[in-house]
Amino acid sequence: MTGRLVDYKRTSWPERVQLVTIDIRDVDFAESFDRLKGGEVTVTIRKRSGHRSLDANKYAWILMDRIAQALTVRDAKPYSAVDIYRDAILEIPGVSEIFTVRQDAVARFRAGWEHNGLGWQSRTMPSRVPGHVDVILYYGSSSYDSRQMGALLDYLIALGESLDVETATPEERDRLCSLWAQAEEVRA
């Protein structure tokens, strides 16, 4: 989710607790807050980088649909744009994290993550910690910055070209890259 830092306070000794207020507008956090309140949580706050342009998102979905059609004809089995999207997410570098989770909590942990959307996926692998599983969490493209969206688009264009699917001209690619750069400048 995205938000704005609003306030910071530090309580006095001996507690020395730091209180951070964040204004969140893009999602309803009430249910998650009720579920997490009082428990220990992991918090990551980072400066938001340039957001992808809607043109890039629209083009990505058009391209994924074309790729799905080409694969359906080639393989004589049905593919959808969602199939292509979910496969592509797994190929983009820098859009995943690994967590070590207790064996009995893995299913609930994965379901909670995947509830975020189509691209929000998870995979498991053995952990070195007894009774635990390593879970790889993949972020969906709705959270991508312009660099990550560019990597997704580059992957889809290369896949499309390998299937003789019509892809962006060099001029169209340049225009999309220009929009990503402008979005980053505006957000900075």
Side-chain angles (χ1 to χ4, degrees), residues 61-115:
W61 280 98
I62 289 169
L63 197 50
M64 287 182 280
D65 187 59
R66 290 176 184 168
I67 291 167
Q69 290 175 38
L71 287 172
T72 297
V73 169
R74 185 192 76 183
D75 296 347
K77 75 176 212 177
Y79 289 89
S80 71
V82 172
D83 295 330
I84 306 309
Y85 173 63
R86 290 177 57 82
D87 289 346
I89 293 293
L90 304 177
E91 300 298 326
I92 307 307
V95 298
S96 65
E97 296 186 51
I98 301 175
F99 291 88
T100 302
V101 180
R102 279 192 346 253
Q103 180 82 39
D104 63 338
V106 169
R108 190 173 63 246
F109 184 71
R110 292 180 72 186
W113 180 261
E114 293 173 2
H115 186 261

Coordinates of all heavy atoms in Angstrom, one line a residue, residues 61-115:
W61 N -1.3 -5.6 -20.9 CA -2.4 -6.5 -21.0 C -2.8 -6.8 -22.4 O -3.2 -7.9 -22.7 CB -3.6 -6.0 -20.2 CG -3.4 -6.3 -18.7 CD1 -2.9 -5.4 -17.8 CD2 -3.6 -7.5 -18.1 NE1 -2.8 -6.0 -16.6 CE2 -3.2 -7.3 -16.7 CE3 -4.0 -8.7 -18.5 CZ2 -3.3 -8.4 -15.8 CZ3 -4.1 -9.8 -17.5 CH2 -3.7 -9.6 -16.2
I62 N -2.7 -5.9 -23.3 CA -2.9 -6.1 -24.7 C -1.9 -7.2 -25.2 O -2.3 -8.1 -25.9 CB -2.9 -4.8 -25.6 CG1 -4.1 -4.0 -25.2 CG2 -2.8 -5.1 -27.0 CD1 -4.0 -2.5 -25.8
L63 N -0.7 -7.0 -24.9 CA 0.4 -7.9 -25.3 C 0.2 -9.3 -24.7 O 0.4 -10.3 -25.4 CB 1.7 -7.3 -24.9 CG 3.0 -7.8 -25.5 CD1 2.9 -7.8 -27.1 CD2 4.2 -7.0 -25.1
M64 N -0.2 -9.3 -23.4 CA -0.4 -10.6 -22.8 C -1.6 -11.4 -23.5 O -1.5 -12.6 -23.7 CB -0.7 -10.5 -21.3 CG 0.6 -10.1 -20.5 SD 0.3 -10.0 -18.8 CE -0.4 -8.3 -18.6
D65 N -2.6 -10.7 -23.9 CA -3.7 -11.3 -24.6 C -3.2 -11.8 -26.0 O -3.6 -12.9 -26.4 CB -4.8 -10.3 -24.8 CG -6.1 -11.0 -25.4 OD1 -6.6 -11.9 -24.8 OD2 -6.5 -10.5 -26.5
R66 N -2.4 -11.0 -26.7 CA -1.9 -11.5 -28.0 C -1.0 -12.7 -27.8 O -1.1 -13.7 -28.6 CB -1.1 -10.4 -28.6 CG -1.9 -9.2 -29.1 CD -1.0 -8.1 -29.7 NE -1.8 -7.0 -30.1 CZ -1.3 -5.8 -30.4 NH1 0.0 -5.6 -30.4 NH2 -2.0 -4.8 -30.7
I67 N -0.2 -12.7 -26.8 CA 0.7 -13.9 -26.5 C -0.2 -15.1 -26.2 O 0.1 -16.2 -26.7 CB 1.7 -13.5 -25.4 CG1 2.7 -12.5 -25.9 CG2 2.4 -14.8 -24.9 CD1 3.5 -11.8 -24.7
A68 N -1.2 -14.9 -25.4 CA -2.1 -16.0 -25.0 C -2.7 -16.6 -26.3 O -2.8 -17.9 -26.5 CB -3.1 -15.6 -24.0
Q69 N -3.2 -15.8 -27.2 CA -3.8 -16.2 -28.4 C -2.8 -17.0 -29.3 O -3.1 -18.1 -29.8 CB -4.3 -15.1 -29.2 CG -5.5 -14.4 -28.6 CD -6.0 -13.2 -29.4 OE1 -5.9 -13.1 -30.6 NE2 -6.4 -12.2 -28.6
A70 N -1.6 -16.5 -29.4 CA -0.5 -17.2 -30.2 C -0.2 -18.5 -29.6 O 0.0 -19.5 -30.3 CB 0.7 -16.3 -30.3
L71 N 0.0 -18.6 -28.3 CA 0.3 -19.9 -27.6 C -0.9 -20.9 -27.7 O -0.7 -22.1 -27.9 CB 0.6 -19.7 -26.1 CG 2.0 -19.0 -25.9 CD1 2.1 -18.7 -24.4 CD2 3.1 -19.9 -26.3
T72 N -2.1 -20.4 -27.7 CA -3.3 -21.3 -27.8 C -3.3 -21.9 -29.2 O -3.5 -23.1 -29.3 CB -4.6 -20.5 -27.6 OG1 -4.6 -20.0 -26.2 CG2 -5.8 -21.3 -27.9
V73 N -3.0 -21.1 -30.2 CA -2.9 -21.7 -31.6 C -1.7 -22.7 -31.7 O -1.9 -23.8 -32.2 CB -2.8 -20.5 -32.6 CG1 -2.5 -21.1 -34.0 CG2 -4.1 -19.7 -32.7
R74 N -0.6 -22.2 -31.2 CA 0.6 -23.1 -31.4 C 0.5 -24.4 -30.6 O 0.9 -25.4 -31.2 CB 1.9 -22.3 -30.8 CG 3.2 -23.0 -31.1 CD 4.3 -22.4 -30.3 NE 4.2 -22.8 -28.9 CZ 5.0 -22.4 -28.0 NH1 6.0 -21.6 -28.2 NH2 4.9 -22.8 -26.7
D75 N 0.0 -24.4 -29.4 CA 0.0 -25.6 -28.6 C -1.3 -26.3 -28.6 O -1.4 -27.4 -28.0 CB 0.3 -25.2 -27.1 CG 1.7 -24.6 -26.9 OD1 2.5 -24.7 -27.9 OD2 2.0 -24.0 -25.8
A76 N -2.3 -25.8 -29.3 CA -3.6 -26.4 -29.3 C -4.2 -26.7 -27.9 O -4.8 -27.7 -27.7 CB -3.6 -27.6 -30.2
K77 N -3.9 -25.8 -27.0 CA -4.5 -25.8 -25.7 C -4.8 -24.4 -25.2 O -4.0 -23.5 -25.6 CB -3.7 -26.6 -24.7 CG -2.5 -25.9 -24.2 CD -1.8 -26.8 -23.1 CE -1.1 -25.9 -22.1 NZ -0.5 -26.6 -21.0
P78 N -5.8 -24.1 -24.5 CA -6.2 -22.8 -24.1 C -5.2 -22.1 -23.1 O -4.8 -22.7 -22.2 CB -7.5 -22.9 -23.5 CG -7.6 -24.3 -23.0 CD -6.7 -25.1 -23.9
Y79 N -4.9 -20.8 -23.4 CA -4.1 -19.9 -22.6 C -4.9 -18.7 -22.4 O -5.6 -18.3 -23.3 CB -2.7 -19.6 -23.2 CG -1.7 -20.7 -23.2 CD1 -1.7 -21.6 -24.3 CD2 -0.8 -20.9 -22.1 CE1 -0.7 -22.6 -24.3 CE2 0.1 -21.9 -22.2 CZ 0.1 -22.8 -23.3 OH 1.0 -23.8 -23.3
S80 N -4.7 -18.0 -21.3 CA -5.4 -16.7 -21.1 C -4.3 -15.6 -20.8 O -3.2 -16.0 -20.5 CB -6.4 -16.8 -19.9 OG -5.7 -16.9 -18.7
A81 N -4.7 -14.4 -20.9 CA -3.8 -13.3 -20.6 C -3.4 -13.4 -19.1 O -2.3 -13.1 -18.8 CB -4.5 -12.0 -20.8
V82 N -4.3 -13.9 -18.3 CA -3.9 -14.1 -16.8 C -2.9 -15.1 -16.7 O -1.9 -15.0 -15.8 CB -5.2 -14.4 -16.0 CG1 -4.9 -14.8 -14.6 CG2 -6.2 -13.2 -16.0
D83 N -2.9 -16.2 -17.4 CA -1.9 -17.2 -17.4 C -0.5 -16.6 -17.7 O 0.5 -16.9 -17.0 CB -2.1 -18.3 -18.4 CG -3.4 -19.2 -18.1 OD1 -3.8 -19.3 -16.9 OD2 -4.0 -19.7 -19.1
I84 N -0.5 -15.8 -18.8 CA 0.7 -15.2 -19.2 C 1.2 -14.2 -18.1 O 2.4 -14.2 -17.8 CB 0.5 -14.4 -20.6 CG1 0.0 -15.4 -21.6 CG2 1.8 -13.8 -21.0 CD1 0.7 -16.7 -21.8
Y85 N 0.3 -13.4 -17.6 CA 0.7 -12.4 -16.5 C 1.3 -13.1 -15.3 O 2.4 -12.8 -14.9 CB -0.6 -11.7 -16.1 CG -0.4 -10.8 -14.9 CD1 0.4 -9.7 -15.0 CD2 -1.2 -11.0 -13.8 CE1 0.6 -8.8 -13.9 CE2 -1.0 -10.2 -12.7 CZ -0.2 -9.1 -12.7 OH 0.0 -8.3 -11.6
R86 N 0.7 -14.2 -14.8 CA 1.2 -14.9 -13.7 C 2.5 -15.5 -13.9 O 3.4 -15.5 -13.1 CB 0.1 -15.9 -13.2 CG -1.1 -15.2 -12.6 CD -2.2 -16.2 -12.1 NE -1.7 -17.2 -11.2 CZ -1.6 -17.0 -9.8 NH1 -1.9 -15.8 -9.3 NH2 -1.2 -18.0 -9.1
D87 N 2.7 -16.1 -15.1 CA 4.0 -16.6 -15.5 C 5.1 -15.6 -15.5 O 6.2 -15.7 -15.1 CB 3.9 -17.4 -16.8 CG 3.2 -18.7 -16.7 OD1 2.9 -19.2 -15.5 OD2 2.8 -19.3 -17.7
A88 N 4.7 -14.4 -16.1 CA 5.7 -13.3 -16.3 C 6.1 -12.8 -15.0 O 7.3 -12.4 -14.8 CB 5.1 -12.2 -17.2
I89 N 5.2 -12.6 -14.0 CA 5.6 -12.1 -12.7 C 6.8 -12.9 -12.1 O 7.6 -12.3 -11.5 CB 4.4 -12.2 -11.8 CG1 3.2 -11.2 -12.2 CG2 4.8 -11.9 -10.3 CD1 3.6 -9.8 -12.1
L90 N 6.8 -14.2 -12.3 CA 7.8 -15.0 -11.7 C 9.2 -14.8 -12.4 O 10.2 -15.2 -11.9 CB 7.4 -16.5 -11.9 CG 6.1 -16.9 -11.2 CD1 5.8 -18.4 -11.5 CD2 6.0 -16.6 -9.8
E91 N 9.2 -14.1 -13.6 CA 10.4 -13.9 -14.3 C 11.1 -12.5 -14.1 O 12.2 -12.3 -14.5 CB 10.2 -14.1 -15.8 CG 9.6 -15.4 -16.2 CD 10.6 -16.6 -15.9 OE1 11.8 -16.3 -16.0 OE2 10.1 -17.7 -15.5
I92 N 10.4 -11.7 -13.3 CA 10.9 -10.3 -13.2 C 11.8 -10.2 -11.9 O 11.4 -10.6 -10.8 CB 9.7 -9.3 -13.0 CG1 8.7 -9.5 -14.2 CG2 10.2 -7.9 -12.9 CD1 9.3 -9.4 -15.5
P93 N 13.0 -9.8 -12.1 CA 13.9 -9.7 -10.9 C 13.5 -8.6 -10.0 O 13.0 -7.5 -10.4 CB 15.3 -9.4 -11.6 CG 15.0 -8.8 -12.9 CD 13.7 -9.3 -13.3
G94 N 13.8 -8.8 -8.7 CA 13.6 -7.8 -7.7 C 12.1 -7.5 -7.2 O 11.8 -6.5 -6.7
V95 N 11.3 -8.5 -7.5 CA 9.9 -8.3 -7.1 C 9.4 -9.4 -6.2 O 8.2 -9.8 -6.2 CB 8.9 -8.2 -8.3 CG1 9.3 -6.9 -9.1 CG2 8.9 -9.4 -9.2
S96 N 10.3 -10.0 -5.4 CA 9.9 -11.1 -4.5 C 10.8 -10.9 -3.2 O 11.8 -10.3 -3.2 CB 10.2 -12.4 -5.1 OG 11.6 -12.6 -5.4
E97 N 10.2 -11.6 -2.2 CA 10.9 -11.7 -0.9 C 10.7 -13.1 -0.4 O 9.8 -13.8 -0.7 CB 10.4 -10.7 0.1 CG 10.6 -9.2 -0.3 CD 10.1 -8.3 0.8 OE1 10.5 -8.4 1.9 OE2 9.3 -7.4 0.4
I98 N 11.7 -13.5 0.5 CA 11.6 -14.9 1.0 C 11.4 -14.8 2.6 O 12.1 -14.0 3.2 CB 12.9 -15.7 0.7 CG1 13.0 -15.8 -0.8 CG2 12.8 -17.1 1.4 CD1 14.3 -16.5 -1.2
F99 N 10.4 -15.5 3.1 CA 10.2 -15.5 4.5 C 10.2 -17.0 5.0 O 9.8 -17.9 4.3 CB 8.8 -14.9 4.8 CG 8.7 -13.4 4.6 CD1 8.4 -13.0 3.3 CD2 9.0 -12.5 5.6 CE1 8.3 -11.6 3.1 CE2 8.9 -11.2 5.4 CZ 8.6 -10.7 4.1
T100 N 10.7 -17.2 6.2 CA 10.7 -18.5 6.8 C 9.5 -18.5 7.7 O 9.3 -17.7 8.6 CB 12.0 -18.7 7.6 OG1 13.1 -18.6 6.7 CG2 12.0 -20.1 8.2
V101 N 8.6 -19.5 7.5 CA 7.3 -19.6 8.1 C 7.1 -20.9 8.8 O 7.5 -22.0 8.2 CB 6.2 -19.3 7.1 CG1 4.8 -19.4 7.8 CG2 6.4 -18.0 6.4
R102 N 6.5 -20.9 10.0 CA 6.2 -22.2 10.6 C 5.4 -23.1 9.7 O 4.4 -22.6 9.0 CB 5.4 -22.0 11.9 CG 6.3 -21.6 13.1 CD 5.5 -21.7 14.4 NE 4.0 -21.8 14.3 CZ 3.2 -20.8 14.5 NH1 3.6 -19.6 14.9 NH2 1.9 -21.0 14.4
Q103 N 5.7 -24.4 9.7 CA 5.0 -25.3 8.8 C 3.4 -25.2 8.9 O 2.7 -25.2 7.9 CB 5.4 -26.8 9.1 CG 4.8 -27.8 8.3 CD 5.5 -28.0 7.0 OE1 6.7 -27.9 6.9 NE2 4.7 -28.2 5.9
D104 N 3.0 -25.1 10.2 CA 1.5 -25.1 10.4 C 0.8 -23.8 10.0 O -0.4 -23.7 9.9 CB 1.2 -25.4 11.8 CG 1.7 -24.4 12.8 OD1 2.7 -23.7 12.5 OD2 1.2 -24.3 13.9
A105 N 1.6 -22.7 9.6 CA 1.1 -21.4 9.3 C 1.2 -21.1 7.8 O 0.7 -20.1 7.3 CB 1.7 -20.3 10.1
V106 N 1.9 -22.0 7.0 CA 2.2 -21.7 5.6 C 0.9 -21.5 4.8 O 0.8 -20.5 4.0 CB 3.1 -22.9 5.0 CG1 3.2 -22.7 3.5 CG2 4.4 -22.8 5.7
A107 N -0.1 -22.3 4.9 CA -1.3 -22.2 4.1 C -2.0 -20.9 4.3 O -2.4 -20.2 3.4 CB -2.2 -23.4 4.3
R108 N -2.1 -20.5 5.6 CA -2.8 -19.3 5.9 C -2.0 -18.1 5.4 O -2.5 -17.1 4.9 CB -3.0 -19.2 7.4 CG -3.9 -18.1 7.9 CD -4.3 -18.1 9.3 NE -3.1 -18.0 10.2 CZ -2.7 -19.0 11.0 NH1 -3.3 -20.2 11.0 NH2 -1.6 -18.9 11.7
F109 N -0.6 -18.1 5.6 CA 0.3 -17.1 5.2 C 0.2 -16.9 3.7 O 0.0 -15.7 3.2 CB 1.7 -17.5 5.6 CG 2.7 -16.4 5.3 CD1 2.8 -15.3 6.1 CD2 3.7 -16.6 4.4 CE1 3.8 -14.3 5.8 CE2 4.7 -15.7 4.1 CZ 4.7 -14.5 4.8
R110 N 0.2 -17.9 2.9 CA 0.2 -17.8 1.5 C -1.2 -17.3 1.0 O -1.3 -16.5 0.1 CB 0.4 -19.2 0.8 CG 1.9 -19.7 1.0 CD 2.1 -21.0 0.4 NE 2.1 -20.9 -1.1 CZ 2.1 -21.9 -1.9 NH1 2.2 -23.1 -1.5 NH2 2.1 -21.7 -3.2
A111 N -2.3 -17.8 1.6 CA -3.6 -17.4 1.2 C -3.8 -15.9 1.5 O -4.4 -15.1 0.7 CB -4.7 -18.1 2.0
G112 N -3.3 -15.4 2.6 CA -3.3 -14.0 2.9 C -2.6 -13.1 1.9 O -3.1 -12.0 1.5
W113 N -1.4 -13.6 1.5 CA -0.6 -12.9 0.5 C -1.3 -12.9 -0.9 O -1.5 -11.8 -1.5 CB 0.7 -13.5 0.3 CG 1.6 -12.8 -0.7 CD1 1.8 -13.2 -1.9 CD2 2.3 -11.6 -0.5 NE1 2.7 -12.3 -2.6 CE2 3.0 -11.3 -1.7 CE3 2.5 -10.7 0.6 CZ2 3.8 -10.2 -1.8 CZ3 3.3 -9.6 0.4 CH2 3.9 -9.4 -0.8
E114 N -1.8 -14.0 -1.3 CA -2.4 -14.2 -2.7 C -3.7 -13.5 -2.8 O -4.2 -13.2 -3.9 CB -2.4 -15.7 -3.0 CG -1.0 -16.2 -3.2 CD -1.0 -17.7 -3.4 OE1 -2.1 -18.4 -3.5 OE2 0.1 -18.3 -3.5
H115 N -4.3 -13.1 -1.7 CA -5.6 -12.4 -1.6 C -5.4 -11.0 -2.2 O -6.4 -10.4 -2.6 CB -6.1 -12.4 -0.2 CG -7.5 -11.8 -0.1 ND1 -7.7 -10.5 0.3 CD2 -8.7 -12.3 -0.3 CE1 -9.0 -10.2 0.3 NE2 -9.6 -11.3 -0.1

